[in-house]
Amino acid sequence: MQIDIINFDGKAVGKADLNDAIFGLEPRADILHRVVTWQRANARAGTHAVKSVADVAGSSKKMVKQKKTGRARQGERQNVHMRGGGVIHGPVVRSHATDLPKKIRSLGLKMALSSKIKSGELIVIDSEKVAAAKTGAMAKTLQKLKLTSALFVGADALDTNFKKSVANIPYIDVLPTIGLNVMDILKHKNLVLTKEGVAAIEKRLGE
């Protein structure tokens, strides 16, 4: 399929041929859900933990004598029913990472790209390079292009001046092709690819 290549003035400056095997698939919600769930699970730190009875500091001396207090019997202060005591069956430090076949990950990325094409939210620009890093000027440019939430993707590394210009603009992010992922694509309204980015994506996901 073909799509217009535009510049920062919004004018068409050419055509880009997109590989149908990458950009022309029918999106499946179940595949996208599996990939996003995998990404989110791998991103979890898993450092949550609580103290068991063995971890709570303090003496193991019996709190009160066994009989003739008129109250319930009590053992050590670290027991789970005591305030400040241990926690039973609490969370422990562990990895939440799961496995997902590489083919499913690749298919999910292709479907995320295809979903942006299908909804008319994919844009190809000729170049992201700007002469100087000016946030105000870039904000006006993005407003003119009606980009309020967008992910810009370049081949290797995007232009330094461009990255500095958009660094403080809310909901605008940049990624190299190697960092492109399903979750970042789906959480932004628009996906903006450079010409070089399109070629790099097709090389990365090519059969």
Side-chain angles (χ1 to χ4, degrees), residues 17-129:
D17 290 313
L18 302 182
N19 188 340
D20 287 339
I22 297 174
F23 294 92
L25 301 181
E26 186 64 30
R28 282 176 49 186
D30 61 318
I31 297 293
L32 295 174
H33 178 266
R34 286 181 66 184
V35 178
V36 171
T37 301
W38 169 77
Q39 277 191 249
R40 289 175 64 85
N42 288 0
R44 293 180 67 177
T47 53
H48 48 2
V50 294
K51 291 183 178 180
S52 66
V53 172
D55 298 321
V56 179
S59 171
S60 60
K61 180 182 177 181
K62 189 171 176 64
M63 293 178 61
V64 294
K65 64 182 183 178
Q66 180 82 345
K67 296 180 182 297
K68 298 183 180 179
T69 63
R71 299 185 299 169
R73 294 170 289 184
Q74 299 293 345
E76 57 188 21
R77 193 179 296 275
Q78 294 95 323
N79 278 330
V80 296
H81 66 286
M82 300 299 295
R83 183 179 179 86
V87 176
I88 189 170
H89 301 314
V92 296
V93 176
R94 69 184 181 90
S95 171
H96 292 274
T98 59
D99 290 328
L100 189 67
K102 189 175 180 180
K103 285 185 177 180
I104 298 297
R105 285 181 267 156
S106 177
L107 181 60
L109 189 51
K110 292 176 183 178
M111 288 186 172
L113 293 168
S114 298
S115 69
K116 289 300 180 184
I117 277 277
K118 189 173 182 180
S119 60
E121 295 170 344
L122 188 143
I123 298 171
V124 179
I125 58 174
D126 61 339
S127 174
E128 85 288 0
K129 293 182 173 64

Side-chain angles (χ1 to χ4, degrees), residues 160-181:
T160 301
N161 285 338
F162 174 76
K163 289 195 291 185
K164 289 180 179 179
S165 298
V166 300
N168 290 327
I169 301 178
Y171 312 116
I172 303 295
D173 291 309
V174 298
L175 280 177
T177 301
I178 194 65
L180 186 62
N181 62 88

Side-chain angles (χ1 to χ4, degrees), residues 4-13 123 125-126 141 144-145:
D4 286 335
I5 300 174
I6 66 172
N7 56 23
F8 276 143
D9 292 325
K11 297 179 180 178
V13 293
I123 298 171
I125 58 174
D126 61 339
T141 298
K144 183 168 61 176
L145 294 174

Side-chain angles (χ1 to χ4, degrees), residues 22-23 35 38-39 105 108-110 112-113 116 122 151-156 174-186 188 191-193 197-198 200-202 204-205:
I22 297 174
F23 294 92
V35 178
W38 169 77
Q39 277 191 249
R105 285 181 267 156
L109 189 51
K110 292 176 183 178
L113 293 168
K116 289 300 180 184
L122 188 143
L151 175 65
F152 283 80
V153 180
D156 296 320
V174 298
L175 280 177
T177 301
I178 194 65
L180 186 62
N181 62 88
V182 172
M183 197 160 71
D184 279 326
I185 292 175
L186 297 182
H188 292 86
L191 176 63
V192 184
L193 309 177
V198 171
I201 289 171
E202 292 185 346
R204 174 184 168 184
L205 299 176

